[in-house]
């Protein structure tokens, strides 16, 4: 089952609604989120992923909205794109909102489309460790894990708890040593690694509530 996003695309430049250009053989990270708002914690995850995974590009995917979260406080897509461009300064980061045009807000469907349209590109799904605790609630979460390798980047408060997550336990056999993160793209999914590194306590939820720390988003 798919749902049609209810977010307006008013004032969104057309090029953001297309998948970024990539060349054959590239290693591309997929970093999706509502980014409501984006902050330096997100930028830090992106920087760590680019360096540790040896990415040629990172697609910063501003999504229509998270099906597991309320959209009552969701800022307009154009605003979240503009703020993401401001925060994501690395030239390898390509801010995009192509998911808006797919008619679905489910990651499994998005990744299937990405794979079909770019069969000669090596993709890695990137997620913050805080998201790992609820990953098993995502639609077709095991299918996601079997589509592309996954890099889980450390986030405050999630360093130890990630080990107890259903995803980590289910795919324990597919875990790749962190020292081999740079060749994760060569692994056939399911394959995932946990990457330690500098952490930021910034939180989108807390920022919206007038603070700066709390649960990440």
């Amino acid at each position: 089952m798919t749902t049609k996003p209810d977010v307006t695309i008013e004032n969104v430049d057309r090029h953001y609604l297309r998948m970024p250009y990539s060349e054959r053989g590239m290693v591309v990270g997929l970093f999706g989120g509502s980014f409501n708002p984006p902050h330096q914690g997100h930028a830090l995850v992106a920087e760590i992923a680019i360096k540790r995974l040896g990415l040629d590009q990172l697609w910063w995917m501003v999504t229509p909205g998270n099906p597991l979260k309320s959209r009552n406080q969701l800022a307009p897509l154009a605003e979240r794109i503009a703020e993401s461009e401001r925060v994501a300064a690395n030239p390898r980061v390509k801010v995009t909102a192509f998911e808006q045009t797919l008619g679905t807000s489910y990651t499994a469907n998005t990744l299937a489309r990405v794979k079909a349209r770019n069969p000669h590109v090596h993709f890695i799904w990137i997620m913050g460790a805080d998201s790992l605790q609820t990953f098993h609630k995502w639609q077709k979460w095991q299918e996601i894990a079997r589509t592309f390798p996954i890099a889980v980047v450390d986030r405050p408060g999630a360093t130890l708890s990630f080990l107890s997550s259903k995803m980590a336990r289910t795919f324990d056999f597919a875990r790749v040593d962190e020292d081999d993160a740079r060749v994760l793209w060569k692994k056939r999914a399911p394959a995932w690694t946990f990457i330690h590194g500098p952490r930021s306590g910034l939180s989108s939820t807390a920022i919206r509530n007038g603070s700066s720390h709390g649960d990440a988003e």
Side-chain angles (χ1 to χ4, degrees):
M1 178 180 177
T2 61
T3 59
K4 192 170 183 178
D6 56 7
V7 193
T8 178
I9 58 174
E10 184 178 0
N11 299 322
V12 175
D13 190 289
R14 187 174 300 176
H15 85 274
Y16 287 115
L17 303 177
R18 297 190 295 265
M19 289 186 195
Y21 172 76
S22 58
E23 297 181 358
R24 184 188 186 99
M26 276 188 168
V27 180
V28 177
L30 302 174
F31 183 34
S34 54
F35 300 112
N36 187 45
H39 51 68
Q40 289 302 319
H42 295 132
L44 181 59
V45 169
E47 288 290 336
I48 291 172
I50 289 171
K51 292 177 181 178
R52 298 292 300 277
L53 299 171
L55 303 180
D56 296 302
Q57 291 182 1
L58 181 141
W59 293 4
W60 182 295
M61 298 161 50
V62 185
T63 67
N66 188 330
L68 298 178
K69 297 179 181 179
S70 170
R71 297 188 180 186
N72 293 336
Q73 293 183 308
L74 190 64
L77 184 60
E79 181 179 319
R80 290 182 285 130
I81 290 173
E83 285 297 301
S84 293
E85 286 282 23
R86 182 183 63 81
V87 171
N90 192 309
R92 295 191 184 186
V93 174
K94 310 299 178 184
V95 176
T96 179
F98 70 84
E99 191 173 13
Q100 172 68 43
T101 65
L102 299 182
T104 177
S105 55
Y106 291 118
T107 298
N109 296 338
T110 297
L111 298 190
R113 300 281 189 91
V114 169
K115 186 174 185 178
R117 294 188 189 182
N118 305 273
H120 304 299
V121 175
H122 307 289
F123 289 103
I124 298 174
W125 176 251
I126 297 163
M127 60 193 300
D130 47 292
S131 297
L132 208 57
Q133 286 296 325
T134 58
F135 186 61
H136 64 281
K137 297 181 180 180
W138 296 18
Q139 187 191 61
K140 301 179 181 178
W141 66 276
Q142 294 195 39
E143 184 175 313
I144 294 173
R146 292 188 174 96
T147 302
F148 296 133
I150 297 175
V152 181
V153 180
D154 201 3
R155 289 283 291 153
T159 305
L160 297 177
S161 60
F162 87 93
L163 288 171
S164 63
S165 69
K166 188 170 182 177
M167 184 275 190
R169 287 185 281 111
T170 301
F171 291 100
D172 179 68
F173 70 92
R175 185 176 178 185
V176 175
D177 190 277
E178 184 177 355
D179 291 340
D180 295 324
R182 203 169 183 85
V183 295
L184 181 64
W185 65 271
K186 295 182 179 181
K187 307 293 183 181
R188 183 175 180 177
W192 66 282
T193 192
F194 187 92
I195 299 177
H196 296 82
R199 296 175 296 171
S200 169
L202 289 172
S203 155
S204 294
T205 302
I207 290 173
R208 289 197 305 272
N209 293 334
S211 181
S212 61
H213 294 72
D215 295 333
E217 179 182 317

